[in-house]
Amino acid sequence: MTEISIPKSHPRYRSLIERDLLVKGFEEGIVVPQGLIAHGRGEAFDYIIGERTLPEAARAAEVAVAMMLLAKHPVISVNGNAAALVPQHIVALSKETGAKIEVNLFYRTEARVRKIADHLKKHGATEVLGEKFIEGVPGLESERRKVDPEGIYKADLVLVMLEDGDRTEFLKKMGKTVIAIDLNPFSRTARMADVTIMDNITRALPLMVELAKTLKTKESNSLKELASGYNNQTKLAEYIDCIQKRLKEEADKLRSTGSMR
Ligand code: PTJ
């Protein structure tokens, strides 16, 4: 990695640090080159929403955590990008909610699964599933069909982050609840999930950890109430409204500065 330190005063400091984490992950064999491209797509959406957690995303995160705490066998599915960007928060969320961690990769190699598991263990995980697998997602042809019998296969709820388009549909067909974190409200994953948190995982995961600390002290009835009546399609429409509103505000700002010149 180019050893140039990024000044904290740089307006894009956070974004540049994220890029560095991904490049480091790439050099260590955790992130695939395609993951760098995928991150770029995410960055574009993040830029448009103003690189902040929208109120709708905070609400989705709360519902998601309530569902994780209510689930019998929740599993956090981890890919290369997530492991590089938020390993400590994945471990913390697993500890706060009792969810298992499983490495599940689109560009799967056994060596990479092991590397990611070791990386998560270095960040405090005691158990990481994914090395032992069955071809357990009927109809799914990608490498993501390889799931641990004690993990995703058995799960009643799966948290997925930065997904390619096809898995959520098949997990849903298996009767599982799917929570997705995806900055792109147009993606198939975002559309197919039960709850989509349209936020950068670098903000969503820390928020979920904090929410879990509070929500785990609540009775299951109040968690059920919190999660009830959530409509993901309506929420996605609200996200798209936010994007539209922000674009219009930016265009109006330019028009008004233009008219002053
Ligand atoms: O590690 P592997 O082998 O499992 O491969 C992982 C990648 C990411 C390469 C694979 O899942 C993939 O190709 O994903 P896609 O189809 O590019 O989808 C990734 C989605 O995540 C896109 O909709 C992006 O907008 C979104 N995204 C990218 N970065 C972030 C993000 N969402 C939240 N936070 C981010 N930081």
Side-chain angles (χ1 to χ4, degrees):
M1 189 168 49
T2 19
E3 292 298 335
I4 296 173
S5 74
I6 300 159
K8 279 208 162 129
S9 58
H10 193 289
R12 308 217 40 75
Y13 178 76
R14 246 188 97 113
S15 165
L16 295 174
I17 291 292
E18 284 173 19
R19 286 184 178 183
D20 275 5
L21 284 172
L22 287 165
V23 171
K24 187 163 178 278
F26 170 67
E27 287 170 351
E28 289 173 359
I30 288 172
V31 174
V32 282
Q34 293 85 341
L36 304 178
I37 299 167
H39 184 76
R41 186 194 294 164
E43 274 188 344
F45 279 103
D46 207 13
Y47 210 107
I48 289 174
I49 64 168
E51 293 171 318
R52 72 207 150 102
T53 301
L54 298 171
E56 291 76 6
R59 163 80 181 128
E62 195 177 35
V63 170
V65 172
M67 286 177 163
M68 286 179 84
L69 290 165
L70 287 166
K72 281 203 172 66
H73 300 291
V75 173
I76 304 171
S77 178
V78 181
N79 65 12
N81 286 45
L85 286 173
V86 281
Q88 69 280 41
H89 298 108
I90 290 168
V91 175
L93 186 63
S94 150
K95 288 192 174 150
E96 296 298 338
T97 60
K100 290 187 172 172
I101 300 174
E102 177 167 341
V103 180
N104 181 279
L105 303 176
F106 186 74
Y107 299 100
R108 182 183 178 109
T109 66
E110 298 320 306
R112 217 173 132 235
V113 174
R114 217 166 305 121
K115 257 189 201 157
I116 293 172
D118 288 345
H119 180 66
L120 292 167
K121 283 179 185 160
K122 265 191 230 147
H123 284 85
T126 43
E127 185 188 33
V128 180
L129 306 176
E131 289 184 54
K132 186 176 65 162
F133 67 84
I134 54 168
E135 307 217 340
V137 185
L140 183 60
E141 288 181 5
S142 78
E143 288 294 301
R144 286 198 189 275
R145 70 187 185 278
K146 296 176 177 170
V147 290
D148 192 299
E150 290 305 311
I152 290 172
Y153 182 71
K154 190 173 155 188
D156 53 349
L157 179 148
V158 187
L159 169 64
V160 303
M161 310 172 233
L162 286 108
E163 282 273 309
D164 52 282
D166 60 348
R167 179 166 67 140
T168 300
E169 184 178 354
F170 291 101
L171 293 177
K172 296 276 310 153
K173 279 189 187 152
M174 290 173 82
K176 300 176 195 301
T177 298
V178 179
I179 294 166
I181 307 177
D182 192 335
L183 276 159
N184 176 7
F186 306 106
S187 78
R188 268 173 63 78
T189 302
R191 301 262 160 130
M192 299 290 301
D194 295 279
V195 178
T196 302
I197 305 166
M198 201 190 92
D199 200 8
N200 194 325
I201 57 168
T202 58
R203 293 188 300 270
L205 260 281
L207 173 65
M208 289 173 84
V209 173
E210 288 313 308
L211 285 166
K213 285 181 188 163
T214 314
L215 292 182
K216 75 178 186 186
T217 63
K218 304 226 184 269
E219 299 286 331
S220 73
N221 272 349
S222 63
L223 293 178
K224 278 182 196 152
E225 205 177 305
L226 224 166
S228 76
Y230 190 84
N231 185 319
N232 203 43
Q233 303 303 312
T234 314
K235 276 285 159 219
L236 285 174
E238 287 173 16
Y239 282 130
I240 295 170
D241 286 342
C242 280
I243 292 178
Q244 228 170 359
K245 186 165 164 269
R246 186 165 149 82
L247 292 177
K248 184 167 180 333
E249 280 167 4
E250 289 300 316
D252 287 347
K253 252 192 257 169
L254 287 172
R255 252 181 234 111
S256 72
T257 43
S259 68
M260 283 189 279
R261 284 195 180 154

